[in-house]
Each structure stands twice: as C-alpha cells, then as structure tokens.
Amino acid sequence: MAGAPDITLDDVRGAQSVAEFKEELAGLLTAEDKKLMFYFYLRYDCLNLVKMLKDSEAEISPLGNYSREDYEEMMALEHDMGSKVYTYPAFLLDFAHTYSQNKDRAGYFPEDSILLEYYKYAIKCPNRMLRDWFNMNLNVTNILTALIAKKNGWNVADYIQGDNDVCEMIRTNNTRDFDLGHELDYMGDLMKIVDCDDPVEKEKRIDVFKWMWLDEHTFMKVFSVEAVFAYMCKLEMLQRWDKLDVEIGKATFRQIIENLRGEARV
C-alpha cells in the first residue's frame, strides 16, 4: 500500500482499474488476507450468477472469485442439491436453486434479491471493519430509499430490505429521521444528501460520504488488509464515475423517476 498512488474522488480518469489492482494484489496478499478480500469480489459473483441464469452465454465480469465453470456448477445444483458438499456460499446455491421459481413473479428483481442476501452474508464477516462497512452500506441504502419514498408519499415499508434494527426503526417510526439520529452518527449527513435535488450531485455526495468513512476507518491501519480493501472500494467508485456520462445519466435518472411516479399513481 505504501507504493500505491494516492487517489481522490476527482481522479476519475487517472486511476488504475479494479481489475488491474486485483491482478497486482494476487501475489502479495497472505492467505488470510485473501479470505477477507473474497467478500469484496463476492458481489461480482452475485451479479455474474444472475447474468448466467438469464443467459448461459452472457459475458461475465472477471472480478468475481469464481470461474464460468463454477457458476455452471452452481446452476446445475438446481436439479441436484444433495449429491456432494460444495464450498460455495450457501446463499448462492439457494439463489440458483430457486431462481426458476421466482423469475416470472411480479415485482421480482433478481439483482436486488441476490445482493440483499450478499449483504446478509457479508455483515457476518470475521473482520470488524469490513462488517461495519457492509452494514453501513445496507443501512445507507435503506435510509436514502426510505427518505425518497417518504418525500414522494410512497409507503416506506414497501421499499426497505433487510431485518436489522435500523430496518425495523425505519418501518415503524414516522419521524423525519426515523429517530435514527440517536443510533447512527452519520444520520445528519444522509439527511443533507437526500435534500439535494440534482441526481448526479446526490450520487456524488453519497460517494464522498463513503470515501470519508473509509478514510476514517483506515486512518490508523495504513499497512493492513483493511487499507487494501478500502483502496479497492475507492477504485471501484472512480471506475463507476469514469463510465458515466453526466448528461445522459441525468436524463436517464429523471425518466426512471417519472416512470416510478406513474406506477405509483396507478
């Protein structure tokens, strides 16, 4: 990490890719460190599995832990769950097993469904900082979703995913901040973010918030796997912004919101 270039959220064009950094890390991490980085790459496994369940010939991301053959094996278990012991996370096998039953169900979004299970799995990670990161991401997503739903007059409980204490407070509390100001020290920051009307600026502020969280939680861990994990998360943010066209993004976002409002009225 001492040799890694410093990066900021403005370095959209100059930073190395997540794939390049993953390759660089391959021969440097200890076996224990690799077990923790597994949780970062696992999100790509989730999305790869969904892609292949939809289309077995789909192009998949190289950032996952598993190969195409591994995903094919997971999918084959849909027909043969008990023949042998597998080392894949159980939620991936369960998802592959139930996908065909759920795929045509109204309101079923497989990417959302599998990522919820991913977060439930990741927040049990043996590393404290990583657990807190995944838990914070799940909470932030639910809180921002709830605030947007409330702002538009939608039923908040319909949009909350998960079953932790924060989810329960969001579902049952009608105050402006769901009374989470006493529970989460970052609730005030999220309230300011949701008041931003510009969708691109709002996304940027969310990433700034997460970037600062990573800095705060790795400040004293410069030469640790936590610092490696944080650096990878930052590269991922930069890579996402590098792929976005601001004007197209704004137009797409506004169209999505209009569609959602139309569905809500119906």
Side-chain angles (χ1 to χ4, degrees):
M1 289 309 297
D6 292 333
I7 54 175
T8 70
L9 201 48
D10 295 324
D11 297 329
V12 174
R13 301 290 179 184
Q16 68 185 132
S17 70
V18 176
E20 289 170 340
F21 192 56
K22 179 185 180 183
E23 185 176 348
E24 187 177 323
L25 291 174
L28 300 176
L29 298 180
T30 67
E32 289 303 310
D33 290 345
K34 289 178 180 178
K35 289 179 182 178
L36 294 177
M37 289 303 297
F38 168 86
Y39 288 88
F40 177 89
Y41 304 126
L42 184 59
R43 187 167 67 85
Y44 291 94
D45 290 312
C46 293
L47 299 176
N48 282 343
L49 180 59
V50 171
K51 285 181 180 178
M52 288 197 59
L53 283 164
K54 290 181 175 180
D55 175 7
S56 61
E57 302 299 321
E59 182 179 349
I60 60 174
S61 169
L63 292 174
N65 295 289
Y66 302 116
S67 66
R68 178 176 290 274
E69 290 71 26
D70 291 327
Y71 301 127
E72 289 172 348
E73 185 171 57
M74 294 179 203
M75 292 159 60
L77 291 176
E78 180 183 351
H79 306 290
D80 184 14
M81 286 291 288
S83 59
K84 59 185 282 193
V85 176
Y86 292 89
T87 58
Y88 309 122
F91 80 91
L92 290 179
L93 300 181
D94 290 340
F95 185 88
H97 179 62
T98 58
Y99 174 76
S100 61
Q101 303 165 27
N102 293 318
K103 64 178 182 178
D104 297 323
R105 179 164 51 86
Y108 177 69
F109 300 98
E111 292 83 0
D112 289 349
S113 180
I114 198 170
L115 287 178
L116 174 60
E117 296 307 314
Y118 162 69
Y119 277 113
K120 288 180 180 179
Y121 179 85
I123 59 179
K124 297 176 183 178
C125 169
N127 180 280
R128 170 74 181 274
M129 181 264 188
L130 270 63
R131 280 200 310 273
D132 290 346
W133 166 255
F134 290 118
N135 205 41
M136 180 274 291
N137 274 272
L138 180 60
N139 288 340
V140 165
T141 300
N142 274 320
I143 291 167
L144 292 176
T145 300
L147 290 170
I148 292 169
K150 179 180 281 192
K151 191 174 182 179
N152 285 278
W154 304 336
N155 182 19
V156 171
D158 291 343
Y159 298 91
I160 303 306
Q161 301 292 322
D163 53 10
N164 61 18
D165 292 341
V166 171
C167 293
E168 188 60 26
M169 290 183 73
I170 293 173
R171 291 189 182 103
T172 58
N173 196 292
N174 292 320
T175 60
R176 183 170 184 267
D177 68 349
F178 310 104
D179 206 27
L180 288 170
H182 304 294
E183 301 293 325
L184 304 174
D185 56 5
Y186 50 79
M187 189 62 193
D189 295 326
L190 298 184
M191 297 293 290
K192 293 175 184 176
I193 289 173
V194 82
D195 287 336
C196 177
D197 292 327
D198 187 302
V200 176
E201 178 64 21
K202 183 182 294 182
E203 282 292 310
K204 198 77 168 182
R205 290 186 186 185
I206 293 170
D207 278 358
V208 168
F209 164 78
K210 292 181 179 180
W211 194 288
M212 293 176 66
W213 189 99
L214 290 166
D215 282 346
E216 179 183 341
H217 286 77
T218 56
F219 183 73
M220 300 298 291
K221 300 178 179 180
V222 181
F223 306 107
S224 66
V225 68
E226 289 90 346
V228 175
F229 182 89
Y231 196 82
M232 185 69 91
C233 291
K234 291 176 179 180
L235 287 179
E236 187 177 49
M237 291 184 214
L238 293 179
Q239 188 168 295
R240 184 171 76 97
W241 282 103
D242 187 31
K243 293 178 179 178
L244 292 177
D245 178 286
V246 174
E247 292 307 315
I248 292 176
K250 281 185 179 180
T252 302
F253 184 87
R254 290 186 181 121
Q255 185 60 52
I256 291 171
I257 290 299
E258 286 306 311
N259 290 344
L260 286 173
R261 283 177 175 156
E263 290 172 8
R265 283 194 292 270
V266 172

